[in-house]
Amino acid sequence: MAKPKNAIDDRRPPRPRMKNKEYRRELRLLHGELVAMQEWVKRTGAKICIVFEGRDTAGKGGTIKAITERVSPRVFRVVALPAPTPRERSQMYLQRYVPHLPGAGEVTIFDRSWYNRAGVERVMGFCTEGQAAEFLQAAPDVERAIVRSGVILLKYWLEVSADEQTRRLQSRIDDPRKVWKLSELDLRSYGMWHEYSRCRDEMFRATDTSWAPWYVAGADDKKRARLNVITHVLGNVPYEPLMHREVSLPERHKADGYREPAMPLRHIPTPY
């Protein structure tokens, strides 16, 4: 039997987790390409929208951080909307996301997006089944309009296994540096693995279109996932390589009598 479209079970044996030294070396090269893409976006007025979805702990935040680490926040804007206000709840569902779509010369990255309605809202009962069905019917047409307006729309689902999700949540519980990441919603949704799977599958069937397809990235190895996603983004944006500029620092002006002031400035302690 042929594997269904967007099947996410990869039967190849897992590769060993990437070492940090190799990861940083590869990421450094990709960061240079992201800068080249940024300059192309600024010069051409391109509009790029990248959507990240996935279960809790799938690594969306870390992937976004890896993408934006060396580029300008004026070009690469990250959108992570809070819970809707009473006014926003009274609007058409997709309305609150439209103002955040990219303008000319911008890359907008959604850390969760309008697909909240197809995932967490549906699973946790924050919307009705009728509202979820209405969204799944409307989303492809809205995304067609987004693409027709000249936006390059890339949608990524980061897929994490059940065992790896358990390990990551337990790490948040045990590590005081990560405990802030652990929400009550995370704990409630942990036991609803299969409910999320059913909603994910229906979302793929309804919204995986030729103009806005879903791309699935295995995310049990966070380092490999980040590199794979960045490589895929670069491969789907027709940017041009950045030409190296020869730059020389100018000579500094002479002091012309200036001396450092003898003011009692408050220097911070230096324990390191």
Side-chain angles (χ1 to χ4, degrees):
M1 180 182 293
K3 185 177 290 188
K5 188 178 184 182
N6 264 331
I8 58 174
D9 58 317
D10 191 340
R11 301 188 184 281
R12 294 174 299 179
R15 301 170 68 182
R17 291 188 184 272
M18 178 173 278
K19 301 295 185 183
N20 193 61
K21 184 176 181 180
E22 180 186 3
Y23 168 68
R24 297 309 305 184
R25 181 178 67 245
E26 296 296 331
L27 186 60
R28 179 184 177 90
L29 297 175
L30 292 177
H31 278 159
E33 293 302 315
L34 284 169
V35 170
M37 188 185 95
Q38 170 183 270
E39 297 308 297
W40 175 82
V41 167
K42 288 164 57 179
R43 187 176 71 253
T44 63
K47 299 178 289 185
I48 301 173
C49 180
I50 307 174
V51 168
F52 282 102
E53 292 290 342
R55 302 176 193 269
D56 298 320
T57 78
K60 297 178 292 296
T63 302
I64 292 169
K65 184 177 180 180
I67 292 173
T68 58
E69 189 176 341
R70 295 291 181 174
V71 291
S72 171
R74 294 182 180 86
V75 178
F76 282 72
R77 298 188 304 110
V78 178
V79 177
L81 297 184
T85 65
R87 181 177 183 274
E88 288 171 332
R89 284 195 291 269
S90 73
Q91 297 173 340
M92 182 182 72
Y93 175 73
L94 283 156
Q95 186 174 339
R96 72 188 295 242
Y97 295 94
V98 172
H100 299 281
L101 293 172
E106 292 180 345
V107 179
T108 300
I109 301 175
F110 281 92
D111 184 353
R112 292 201 182 275
S113 65
W114 45 93
Y115 282 102
N116 273 338
R117 175 132 295 182
V120 63
E121 288 192 11
R122 187 178 185 187
V123 172
M124 303 307 296
F126 298 155
C127 70
T128 66
E129 282 297 306
Q131 289 172 324
E134 182 180 352
F135 166 78
L136 291 174
Q137 184 176 14
D141 290 334
V142 173
E143 290 174 355
R144 188 197 293 269
I146 291 172
V147 172
R148 283 180 172 174
S149 75
V151 174
I152 297 175
L153 177 58
L154 299 171
K155 303 187 307 191
Y156 293 99
W157 175 272
L158 302 188
E159 181 64 17
V160 64
S161 67
D163 289 345
E164 180 63 16
Q165 185 190 53
T166 299
R167 190 192 69 79
R168 292 178 186 178
L169 285 172
Q170 190 62 52
S171 174
R172 291 182 181 182
I173 294 171
D174 297 337
D175 191 337
R177 300 169 301 173
K178 300 178 182 178
V179 70
W180 65 270
K181 293 183 178 182
L182 190 65
S183 69
E184 288 299 319
L185 195 61
D186 294 336
L187 297 174
R188 288 175 57 195
S189 64
Y190 174 74
M192 307 178 77
W193 177 271
H194 298 295
E195 289 85 345
Y196 268 99
S197 295
R198 293 187 186 98
C199 289
R200 175 205 60 199
D201 297 345
E202 187 171 344
M203 180 187 75
F204 283 166
R205 285 192 293 269
T207 63
D208 181 19
T209 60
S210 59
W211 56 90
W214 277 103
Y215 298 108
V216 179
D220 274 8
D221 185 332
K222 290 183 179 181
K223 296 182 177 67
R224 293 190 190 278
R226 294 166 190 170
L227 298 179
N228 289 334
V229 168
I230 294 173
T231 300
H232 192 271
V233 168
L234 293 169
N236 281 274
V237 176
Y239 73 99
E240 300 168 359
L242 188 65
M243 299 301 293
H244 180 70
R245 294 185 301 158
E246 294 293 339
V247 179
S248 299
L249 293 174
E251 291 187 5
R252 284 181 171 151
H253 296 177
K254 294 182 179 180
D256 195 22
Y258 174 79
R259 294 181 180 179
E260 293 287 343
M263 294 191 298
L265 300 176
R266 296 177 178 84
H267 292 279
I268 65 169
T270 55
Y272 299 102

